[in-house]
Amino acid sequence: MTGKFIVIEGLEGAGKTTAINTVARILKQHNINDLQFTREPGGTPIAEALRDIIKNGIDDEPLTDKAELLMLYAARIQLIDNVIKPALKLGKWVIGDRHDLSTQAYQGGGRQLDKTFIEMLKQQVLGDFKPDLTLYLDIDPEVGLMRAKSRGELDRIEQQSLLFFNRIRQRYQEIAQNDNTIITIDAAQTIEDVVRQIEQVLATWLSKQVSNV
Ligand code: Z5A
């Protein structure tokens, strides 16, 4: 099998860290050991510098929604061209903590940036590149934010209103319903049940990949 790109998505506090560890463990059980982990925004020195600006801003200068969007795509293409595509070419499997679906949900749904503008940018920057599988961890924002808060200070994006996060969730759900490469996981379950659901979903998906070879 050649390398595949699997992405974990969801609101803050959805449990992406546990999901990433679960996916890695299952892949290893299937003798897929050559793994590359990525996170977005970030994952290269330039993309990490952009992540810092996106998450924390600089001084009191307001970061406009469009500038945020452009920085996200700049960081993404640095990561795709310099890390993800070379890894896939070498036959590695890439496990991504967020990818373009986050932009559709946060900047499209949350910030309500123009859909056509985002689509045009996506097409120009990413072309046909997309994950082979996305696991979307669906969580009520109130529950997710409570979990995230228990870890400490909230960043620039986490300080937005609940309405903002409800719009993000709605956009995630709409896109997931219409894309069969996205599988929704109920992240409100106990960690043990989330892990079990991911194990089942991934085992089924992997068996289909093997039979497609
Ligand atoms: N962003 C964007 O706007 N547009 C984009 O295109 C991209 C990103 C790519 C990245 O920040 C920010 O950038 C993010 C979206 C935006 N901002 N916000 N807000 P980040 O990487 O720092 O944050 P994150 O991706 O949201 O990560 P997170 O907050 O760490 O979420 P998580 O990884 O899902 O959380 P976790 O660490 O796995 O779990 C949180 C806690 O909950 C932890 O203590 C767990 O033990 C607990 N937990 C997890 N699952 C459960 C269950 N099932 N029950 C009970 N407790 C649980």
Side-chain angles (χ1 to χ4, degrees), residues 57-127:
I58 295 185
D59 299 333
D60 293 332
E61 180 180 348
L63 179 60
T64 72
D65 291 349
K66 280 187 182 164
E68 179 185 72
L69 177 73
L70 293 168
M71 284 188 211
L72 283 161
Y73 274 111
R76 183 160 302 134
I77 198 62
Q78 285 297 116
L79 181 70
I80 291 175
D81 283 355
N82 295 332
V83 177
I84 300 180
K85 281 187 175 170
L88 294 173
K89 222 172 166 181
L90 290 172
K92 289 186 180 187
W93 283 51
V94 180
I95 304 178
D97 181 346
R98 298 188 179 280
H99 186 62
D100 193 66
L101 184 53
S102 282
T103 302
Q104 307 305 319
Y106 282 78
Q107 281 61 47
R111 303 254 189 252
Q112 300 179 296
L113 282 171
D114 184 57
K115 241 182 173 171
T116 327
F117 178 55
I118 299 182
E119 193 48 45
M120 181 273 293
L121 207 51
K122 177 183 170 185
Q123 201 47 47
Q124 291 295 321
V125 178
L126 306 188

Side-chain angles (χ1 to χ4, degrees), residues 10-18 39-41 51 54-55 68 72 76 97-100 102-104 106-107 137 147-148 150-151 155 157-158 165 187-191 194:
L11 287 168
E12 16 293 305
K16 291 187 290 299
T17 311
T18 310
R39 70 168 180 183
E40 291 193 35
R51 175 189 177 90
I54 291 164
K55 280 181 68 95
E68 179 185 72
L72 283 161
R76 183 160 302 134
D97 181 346
R98 298 188 179 280
H99 186 62
D100 193 66
S102 282
T103 302
Q104 307 305 319
Y106 282 78
Q107 281 61 47
L137 305 175
R147 290 181 189 165
S150 66
R151 277 180 328 199
D155 67 29
I157 297 177
E158 287 168 342
F165 289 104
Q189 305 174 90
T190 62
I191 294 189
V194 170

Side-chain angles (χ1 to χ4, degrees), residues 126-179:
L126 306 188
D128 292 336
F129 183 80
K130 72 178 282 200
D132 296 287
L133 173 70
T134 299
L135 299 179
Y136 161 55
L137 305 175
D138 183 53
I139 190 82
D140 181 329
E142 260 182 282
V143 178
L145 284 172
M146 222 153 57
R147 290 181 189 165
K149 253 186 211 160
S150 66
R151 277 180 328 199
E153 289 286 294
L154 298 183
D155 67 29
R156 202 181 59 85
I157 297 177
E158 287 168 342
Q159 287 164 7
Q160 301 282 322
S161 72
L162 207 54
L163 264 178
F164 170 79
F165 289 104
N166 277 318
R167 286 200 301 272
I168 296 170
R169 185 190 195 192
Q170 200 183 340
R171 185 61 60 86
Y172 263 132
Q173 290 174 333
E174 280 164 17
I175 299 174
Q177 269 166 19
N178 293 303
D179 184 335

